[in-house]
Structures are given as structure tokens and as C-alpha cells.
Amino acid sequence: MWWPCEWEAYQPSSSVAGSSLPPLSRPQLAEARRVRAVELFQEGVSNAEIARAVGVCAESVRRWRRVWEQDGASGLRRRSATGRPPKLDQTQVEMVRAALEQGAQAHGFEADLWTLERVGAVVTRTTGVVLSRASVWRLLTGRLGWSLQRPERRAVERDESEIARWIAHEWPRIKKGP
């Protein structure tokens, strides 16, 4: 559950400006606040003082204290993401990456252009796992780090030298004004 008062800026001493440590992510900052609160709970500091010290509202501190009293410090630790596990494990993702890097034509498609449907078909052929369009998109952007690339629309008959000649000789002749 999201508690708006927990998102106030709080920088633990390990991420102070000028430090060689990388900045903490939001979940890491939230956990650092809770860890600091546990230290202060153990020292007997009041909820209001803890709230001011870590930069959250007093209600968050009261909630943290209840969890701490019931489950201990481990109850306030960050938990791994919940939800359905991915359909493809890391080995399968690497198999898909290798297959996609061969190009679309290597898999029997006319043009060397990937679409979500084509990628989905290759995933099914390589791993036996059927993915929805949305899952294919998440695979490409999230797990493989690919981004959307649109081909330039250009006529096949386009003659760059003729275009350059026309711009140099014809355009100045028909152009009005300076």
C-alpha cells in the first residue's frame, strides 16, 4: 500500500552529496528510513521525533512500530516483488535473443523487420511458450533492453545524385526571391 507521507525526501548518511556511493532508489530509500526508525525505536525515541528525523508522517512511524513490535526488524525489510513469475527463464530469454539477432529473414519472413507478432512466433518456435502481444513487448523492452525502431519511409526508386542535381540547378531557377 502506498502512503504519501513516506515519499518525503530522506537521505541517509550513506548517500550524502559528495559520497562515492551511488544514489539510492526509492525502495532503497524507503527501507533505509524504516531501518533508521528501528534503530531509534530501540533507543526509546518517541514516534514524533522519529517522524521528524526520517522525514515521514507520524502515522507511518506508528504503523512501523506496530509491525516492529509484532514481527521485529525483519517485518520492516523490503520484500521481493510478488506476482506471477515470468513465463521465460533467463536461459530461454538468451535463446530468444540469439534467435532475434539472426534477423527476421533467417526465420522465414520476407522483410528483415521485426513486429510483435513475428517476435511472438519466434518465441513460440524457440521455447514452446506462447506470449501475448503485451508480454512480447515487455520481453523486448524490459528483459532484452530493445527499443522501438521505425524504418524510414523512402521510395526504392529514389536517386540521391538526381535530387542533389535538381536542388543545385533547378531549384534556384524556379525559386522566387533571394
Side-chain angles (χ1 to χ4, degrees), residues 59-154:
E59 177 55 34
S60 292
V61 176
R62 283 192 290 277
R63 196 167 29 81
W64 294 346
R65 188 180 289 271
R66 280 194 305 270
V67 171
W68 176 67
E69 288 170 348
Q70 184 178 11
D71 302 327
S74 62
L76 292 172
R77 288 283 181 190
R78 191 166 41 136
R79 292 170 185 77
S80 60
T82 59
R84 184 180 186 145
K87 287 185 175 182
L88 300 176
D89 62 26
Q90 197 55 38
T91 307
Q92 291 171 312
V93 170
E94 291 308 317
M95 287 170 44
V96 169
R97 179 191 308 273
L100 295 178
E101 287 175 349
Q102 294 172 356
Q105 289 178 329
H107 292 280
F109 299 108
E110 280 181 32
D112 209 13
L113 181 71
W114 287 116
T115 64
L116 293 177
E117 289 79 12
R118 288 179 177 186
V119 172
V122 170
V123 168
T124 303
R125 273 188 237 142
T126 355
T127 65
V129 176
V130 178
L131 296 179
S132 68
R133 284 174 47 103
S135 295
V136 170
W137 177 255
R138 281 191 300 273
L139 169 69
L140 289 172
T141 58
R143 296 186 73 187
L144 293 175
W146 288 22
S147 63
L148 176 65
Q149 304 289 313
R150 295 187 188 259
E152 284 187 24
R153 300 281 183 199
R154 187 174 293 165

Side-chain angles (χ1 to χ4, degrees), residues 165-176:
R165 187 204 61 77
W166 187 88
I167 291 172
H169 299 290
E170 300 296 323
W171 176 245
R173 184 179 59 79
I174 59 176
K175 185 173 108 177
K176 293 181 182 176

Side-chain angles (χ1 to χ4, degrees), residues 1-11 24-34 51 54-57 60 63-64 78:
M1 183 179 299
W2 180 71
W3 298 88
C5 55
E6 288 184 26
W7 294 110
E8 296 174 23
Y10 166 69
Q11 294 290 326
L24 298 177
S25 66
R26 270 190 156 171
Q28 290 171 326
L29 282 173
E31 184 176 22
R33 284 187 194 103
R34 294 189 302 269
V54 298
V56 298
C57 64
S60 292
R63 196 167 29 81
W64 294 346
R78 191 166 41 136

